[in-house]
Amino acid sequence: LTAPHTCFRTIKRGEAQATGCHEPQQGHKMSSDPKFREIRAIHDADTVRVYQAYNPAIAEAAVAANSFRAPHQAGAWSDSRMTWIKPSAVWMGYRCGWTVLKDENQARVLALDLDKERFFEMIRQARLAHKDSAMAASGDGSVMVQWDPEREMDPSADGKDALTRKMPDVRSIQIGLKGPAAAALLDPTFVLRISDVTEAFRSAATHLQARDIPAAEAALWPGAKERAVAVPADVRRVLDMGEEKEEEEAARGPPSPKVQVMCFSFTDEDFANGNMRQWMSRTLVTMDYCPSEDGESVGSGEERGESEEEEEEEGEEEEAAAAAA
């Protein structure tokens, strides 16, 4: 939000003279959302739930054995390719098309309840896709984390969006596992429980197609909804979850107020006659002004990094290949 700062200048025989200026009020500072990067999941003191989508053969074997060892021994599941886990149910619904709108190789959704301490230990080894683009492109690294825009239910969204839309101010964690990290999914002391939740996702999709979001939420989360996980400070730093940025901002102090400056020119005759229409027609410029620390004005635009859409699509292509394998 910006406060209006209106400067009045009179033109007298070609000589500009400032006659007055209304002091601006300080603009309201919008605080950064602390939930921009958070791990939101169904969890308790000992476990955290993540989701994966598979073809029916892998899903049925894993659920029956409560382990990925069975499909692994059958040659249907491999730890040599990157496999992705995600705690957001709506993001999983978007990714697999609620098991009915997209890839047949993602026709079943499994909920994996992981040992929470082991989960934290695993992501302590993570490398971040947005900070190591070369690693992300090559698929190297045992644990890769990608922060994608979170998704929320949207009955009007069709096609690729699969009844969801992006939440641009909130990120959702996607965790890619390969090699030793993927092999950890074979450990029954890490993956404590595997549940087939496909019907919940399909029921949610049916309600969304009927434009009934409350019913869709009740179907997707029959118990508790996802909530923020208390992440240890060292893990938050590894995942770039904001402490360093917040500390830097606190050390800098409050930001300079941002104001909007509107400059007008008018003649003595305009002012005397109250001819506001002529006065306003001589508007010179409207601009955003924000003083920098060295006193110079700076622009109000933001530089954007690489396209989040491109990063998200790259992750989806890798994930689809893993699901097919």
Side-chain angles (χ1 to χ4, degrees), residues 36-38 40 147-150 167-168 170-172 308:
F36 178 69
R37 286 187 183 138
E38 290 287 346
R40 292 169 294 276
W147 289 101
D148 290 323
E150 181 62 281
M167 298 176 66
V170 182
R171 291 296 180 269
S172 179
E308 293 162 349

Side-chain angles (χ1 to χ4, degrees), residues 1 32 46 58-59 69 72 78 91 145 172 185 203 212 221 224 239 255 263 269 272 284 301 318:
L1 299 177
S32 58
D46 302 313
I58 294 177
R69 290 181 177 181
H72 182 257
S78 173
W91 217 102
V145 162
S172 179
L185 296 180
S203 178
D212 190 342
W221 297 292
L239 299 181
C263 298
E269 290 77 15
L284 296 179
E318 293 178 358

Side-chain angles (χ1 to χ4, degrees), residues 266-278:
F266 53 94
T267 65
D268 289 339
E269 290 77 15
D270 291 334
F271 188 76
N273 298 332
N275 193 336
M276 303 302 290
R277 179 171 298 179
Q278 289 186 31

Side-chain angles (χ1 to χ4, degrees), residues 18 80 101 112 167 181 185 196 203 228 241 251 267 289 298 303 311 324:
S80 63
L101 301 176
L112 315 182
M167 298 176 66
L185 296 180
D196 189 334
S203 178
M241 292 176 70
T267 65
Y289 172 81
V298 297
E303 290 186 3
E311 292 180 0

Side-chain angles (χ1 to χ4, degrees), residues 178-190:
K178 185 179 181 181
L185 296 180
L186 299 171
D187 184 350
T189 66
F190 177 46

Side-chain angles (χ1 to χ4, degrees), residues 12-289:
K12 186 174 183 179
R13 293 189 178 91
E15 180 180 352
Q17 179 181 0
T19 61
C21 183
H22 293 296
E23 290 297 324
Q25 297 179 352
Q26 181 169 329
H28 173 64
K29 181 181 182 295
M30 300 297 289
S31 60
S32 58
D33 185 354
K35 296 181 180 179
F36 178 69
R37 286 187 183 138
E38 290 287 346
I39 299 178
R40 292 169 294 276
I42 293 174
H43 66 98
D44 57 27
D46 302 313
T47 66
V48 59
R49 173 166 287 194
V50 297
Y51 299 96
Q52 288 193 299
Y54 287 104
N55 62 46
I58 294 177
E60 290 170 9
V63 171
N66 196 43
S67 170
F68 285 108
R69 290 181 177 181
H72 182 257
Q73 292 170 355
W77 189 93
S78 173
D79 58 8
S80 63
R81 300 184 65 113
M82 185 75 76
T83 185
W84 293 82
I85 58 177
K86 56 196 90 248
S88 169
V90 175
W91 217 102
M92 184 74 262
Y94 156 72
R95 181 63 192 91
C96 70
W98 304 96
T99 76
V100 293
L101 301 176
K102 289 188 178 180
D103 189 352
E104 292 182 356
N105 280 312
Q106 299 185 78
R108 302 282 285 275
V109 176
L110 302 183
L112 315 182
D113 293 315
L114 309 179
D115 179 88
K116 184 179 279 188
E117 288 304 315
R118 293 274 301 277
F119 172 74
F120 288 144
E121 187 59 36
M122 178 182 69
I123 56 179
R124 278 187 175 93
Q125 315 306 316
R127 297 171 70 180
L128 302 179
H130 69 277
K131 287 193 171 181
D132 195 338
S133 57
M135 180 275 295
S138 66
D140 292 337
S142 181
V143 182
M144 182 170 73
V145 162
Q146 184 165 304
W147 289 101
D148 290 323
E150 181 62 281
R151 313 291 299 195
E152 61 184 345
M153 295 179 178
D154 181 0
S156 65
D158 54 12
K160 182 181 176 181
D161 286 325
L163 304 171
T164 71
R165 64 169 175 252
K166 286 183 180 181
M167 298 176 66
D169 297 326
V170 182
R171 291 296 180 269
S172 179
I173 192 170
Q174 322 292 322
I175 305 169
L177 309 176
K178 185 179 181 181
L185 296 180
L186 299 171
D187 184 350
T189 66
F190 177 46
V191 181
L192 304 178
R193 183 168 52 254
I194 301 177
S195 309
D196 189 334
V197 291
T198 303
E199 288 308 314
F201 278 73
R202 291 179 179 173
S203 178
T206 298
H207 290 300
L208 285 173
Q209 289 168 333
R211 299 183 174 272
D212 190 342
I213 292 179
E217 292 179 343
L220 190 60
W221 297 292
K225 283 187 176 183
E226 293 147 11
R227 54 193 175 90
V229 177
V231 179
D234 64 318
V235 179
R236 292 183 67 88
R237 286 191 291 271
V238 168
L239 299 181
D240 197 20
M241 292 176 70
E243 272 82 354
E244 293 177 356
K245 180 178 179 182
E246 291 166 4
E247 290 170 1
E248 182 180 328
E249 290 178 348
R252 261 202 319 262
S256 301
K258 181 178 179 181
V259 298
Q260 188 177 68
V261 180
M262 294 173 287
C263 298
F264 305 101
S265 68
F266 53 94
T267 65
D268 289 339
E269 290 77 15
D270 291 334
F271 188 76
N273 298 332
N275 193 336
M276 303 302 290
R277 179 171 298 179
Q278 289 186 31
W279 175 48
M280 293 298 291
S281 71
R282 293 188 176 94
T283 298
L284 296 179
V285 65
T286 298
M287 62 178 288
D288 283 338
Y289 172 81

